[in-house]
């Protein structure tokens, strides 16, 4: 294990030292591709060695699952208790959370499952400690809350890096890259829009992955890392927010400094809270809700008005078919068409099919075969 880690470190150092330019871009691309494969191997090996991992399979429930990640003793259990009323054991010593503790939070009509997992520690992605099981849970999350306390704001970097090494990409859209391996013809690159990658870089990255022939389609811009991510396949793209706990222990000036520093470094303002004192809990709930990108839909029965009191909560970008699946499989199996009132259509009561993309506060009526 140590052997692999040393090799990984060596390659990382070399990439760091090499200045990126036209002459070195091929070389850097190859190194990055190699590094990605080594990390993937290391993680897979750790997962296998670790075995099942009891207590870590959590059934998803509600409209979305949010995972709290943070070092031990940052206040994850305290926060979960505060937000959900769940009794997760807290203690003035590290590692009180040994299994995943789920709790449910209701906000603006959405039911959000919150998971408190054992403290994420440096090296988790490489299988250190109980990290591998923790990572497996985090990968299934719809959203991540990165929690640090006021004395350890630097931990945000460590956590984000740890997530990155585990294939978790936060707050970035999935790059639009299609790779089709072919039996001959070499590497062909098709780009829609301006692309900073050139064919030589693409070839060297593919060569490192033992691909000599492929059709590659890239929509929008992409970096070497994006291409490597697409090749590795096992990446997840998850929204995240940074939350700083225990603000009751510092003064206003220090709060302002931490907030400004994190905002500058991560291009998003952190939510400053005290879980114990209950400061800014509503602000935090709003931030979670917004980051999840929820939308509210109102269902209209065939006879009668729409139910405007109980919205159906879906994620932005949801299609009619997603609603059908959520309601009951019959709505999908026997679907004829849907009628929509709202922003996603041009005129009221417009008829649409399963692949129609809905908008926030649409009213919809689903017509099925009898
Ligand atoms: N002053 C202050 N103390 C807090 C706050 N939130 C949590 N604590 C304390 O910090 C300690 C650790 O809190 P926990 O909630 O157990 O932390 P955890 O992250 O769940 O820790 P692990 O279970 O070890 O991963 C406890 O003594 C809490 O009472 C806060 O907002 N302010």
């Amino acid at each position: 294990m140590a052997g692999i880690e040393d090799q990984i470190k060596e390659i990382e150092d070399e990439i760091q030292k090499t200045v990126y330019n036209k002459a070195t871009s091929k070389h850097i691309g190859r190194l990055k591709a190699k590094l990605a494969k080594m990390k993937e191997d290391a993680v897979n090996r750790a997962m296998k060695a670790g075995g099942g991992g009891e207590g870590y399979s959590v059934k998803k429930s509600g409209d979305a699952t949010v995972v709290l990640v943070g070092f031990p003793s940052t206040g994850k259990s305290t926060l979960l208790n505060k937000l959900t009323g769940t009794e997760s054991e807290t203690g003035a010593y590290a590692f009180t959370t040994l299994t995943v503790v789920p709790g449910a939070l209701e906000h603006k009509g959405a039911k959000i499952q919150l998971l408190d997992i054992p403290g994420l520690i440096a090296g988790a992605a490489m299988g250190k400690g109980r990290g591998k099981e923790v990572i497996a849970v985090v990968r299934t999350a719809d959203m991540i809350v990165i929690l640090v306390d006021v004395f350890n704001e630097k931990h945000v970097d460590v956590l984000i890096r740890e997530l990155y090494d585990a294939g978790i990409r936060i707050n970035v859209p999935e790059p639009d890259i299609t790779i089709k391996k072919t039996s001959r013809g070499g590497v062909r690159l098709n780009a829609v829009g301006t692309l900073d990658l050139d064919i030589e870089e693409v070839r060297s990255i593919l060569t490192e992955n033992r691909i000599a022939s492929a059709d590659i389609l890239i929509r929008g811009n992409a970096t070497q890392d994006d291409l490597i991510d697409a090749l590795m396949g096992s990446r997840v793209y998850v929204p995240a927010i940074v939350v700083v706990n225990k603000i009751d222990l510092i003064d206003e000036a220090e709060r302002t400094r931490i907030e400004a520093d994190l905002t500058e470094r991560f291009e998003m303002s952190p939510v400053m809270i005290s879980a114990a004192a209950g400061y800014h809990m509503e602000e935090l709930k709003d931030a979670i809700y917004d980051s999840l990108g929820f939308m509210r839909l109102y269902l209209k029965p065939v006879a009668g008005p729409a139910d405007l009191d109980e919205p159906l909560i879906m994620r932005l970008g949801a299609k009619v078919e997603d609603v059908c699946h959520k309601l009951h499989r019959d709505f999908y199996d026997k679907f004829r068409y849907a009628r929509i009132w709202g922003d996603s259509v041009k005129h009221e009561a417009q008829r649409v099919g399963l692949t129609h993309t809905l908008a926030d506060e649409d009213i919809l009526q689903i017509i099925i075969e009898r």
Side-chain angles (χ1 to χ4, degrees):
M1 197 67 207
I4 275 217
E5 273 176 37
D6 290 344
Q7 286 175 42
I8 287 175
K9 179 93 191 24
E10 229 168 76
I11 298 179
E12 278 175 343
D13 289 347
E14 190 177 345
I15 293 173
Q16 277 267 301
K17 271 187 295 195
T18 315
V19 180
Y20 183 93
N21 59 37
K22 205 103 208 92
T24 58
S25 63
K26 261 175 70 178
H27 179 60
I28 291 181
R30 247 198 50 230
L31 286 176
K32 283 187 167 174
K34 188 168 176 181
L35 186 64
K37 272 198 345 218
M38 288 174 70
K39 283 189 176 171
E40 181 108 328
D41 285 352
V43 172
N44 286 342
R45 211 167 309 165
M47 294 270 186
K48 250 187 223 139
E54 277 165 56
Y56 289 91
S57 96
V58 184
K59 198 174 179 311
K60 282 194 164 196
S61 73
D63 298 306
T65 299
V66 171
V67 171
L68 299 176
V69 302
F71 277 68
S73 300
T74 43
K76 297 184 299 303
S77 314
T78 309
L79 180 59
L80 185 87
N81 293 348
K82 203 67 171 193
L83 289 176
T84 70
T86 312
E87 276 313 305
S88 171
E89 197 183 336
T90 64
Y93 46 88
F95 291 114
T96 41
T97 313
L98 288 177
T99 50
V100 175
V101 182
L105 157 71
E106 231 182 295
H107 192 59
K108 293 188 192 166
K111 290 185 188 64
I112 301 165
Q113 182 184 40
L114 271 180
L115 301 181
D116 173 16
I117 52 174
L120 193 67
I121 49 168
M126 292 295 151
K128 273 196 194 138
R130 306 175 77 107
K132 52 196 178 291
E133 295 126 321
V134 173
I135 292 289
V137 174
V138 180
R139 284 177 62 94
T140 67
D142 297 304
M143 190 225 151
I144 297 170
V145 170
I146 296 170
L147 188 72
V148 294
D149 66 33
V150 288
F151 306 113
N152 296 293
E153 62 156 310
K154 295 280 178 274
H155 281 168
V156 175
D157 301 84
V158 183
L159 291 166
I160 287 181
R161 195 182 159 98
E162 204 57 41
L163 294 171
Y164 190 92
D165 281 347
I168 300 165
R169 303 288 175 263
I170 60 170
N171 295 335
V172 288
E174 182 166 0
D176 193 340
I177 301 176
T178 317
I179 300 163
K180 219 171 85 205
K181 286 186 204 171
T182 50
S183 50
R184 64 176 75 85
V187 173
R188 281 180 301 222
L189 175 63
N190 267 300
V192 181
T194 358
L195 180 64
D196 293 332
L197 281 176
D198 67 33
I199 182 75
E200 290 307 321
E201 288 172 86
V202 172
R203 275 204 188 105
S204 71
I205 289 170
L206 264 74
T207 306
E208 191 56 42
N209 281 274
R210 300 204 178 78
I211 299 173
S213 250
D215 287 335
I216 312 238
L217 174 63
I218 302 181
R219 289 195 185 85
N221 210 349
T223 61
Q224 292 189 348
D225 295 311
D226 292 337
L227 177 62
I228 293 165
D229 279 349
L231 274 166
M232 306 302 289
S234 58
R235 305 291 185 246
V236 291
Y237 295 82
V238 190
I241 58 170
V242 173
V243 176
V244 181
N245 189 29
K246 307 192 188 181
I247 59 166
D248 55 306
L249 297 178
I250 52 169
D251 64 17
E252 189 58 37
E254 181 62 2
R255 279 179 219 167
T256 310
R257 189 199 61 74
I258 293 177
E259 196 168 358
D261 180 53
L262 288 174
T263 305
E264 192 193 318
R265 285 194 296 133
F266 301 104
E267 289 168 5
M268 56 172 163
S269 32
V271 186
M272 309 290 290
I273 64 160
S274 167
Y279 296 158
H280 297 168
M281 288 297 112
E282 285 309 304
E283 199 180 322
L284 174 58
K285 289 180 197 174
D286 283 344
I288 292 173
Y289 185 95
D290 291 345
S291 170
L292 279 165
F294 280 138
M295 65 176 171
R296 288 153 295 179
L297 301 172
Y298 302 100
L299 293 176
K300 181 174 153 51
V302 176
D307 179 357
L308 297 178
D309 291 331
E310 284 246 346
L312 179 71
I313 301 289
M314 300 291 297
R315 309 293 291 281
L316 288 174
K319 295 176 167 44
V320 172
E321 60 189 333
D322 299 318
V323 174
C324 291
H325 282 304
K326 183 151 183 166
L327 292 174
H328 189 274
R329 57 169 304 162
D330 274 0
F331 282 97
Y332 184 80
D333 292 343
K334 298 183 178 171
F335 181 85
R336 283 179 60 210
Y337 60 90
R339 274 205 198 99
I340 314 274
W341 292 256
D343 288 348
S344 76
V345 288
K346 288 205 186 73
H347 53 85
E348 296 214 329
Q350 188 173 323
R351 271 193 188 210
V352 299
L354 283 169
T355 56
H356 176 78
T357 303
L358 297 156
D360 189 28
E361 304 213 79
D362 273 358
I363 293 175
L364 94 157
Q365 183 177 56
I366 299 171
I367 313 295
I368 57 173
E369 288 160 14
R370 319 184 116 262

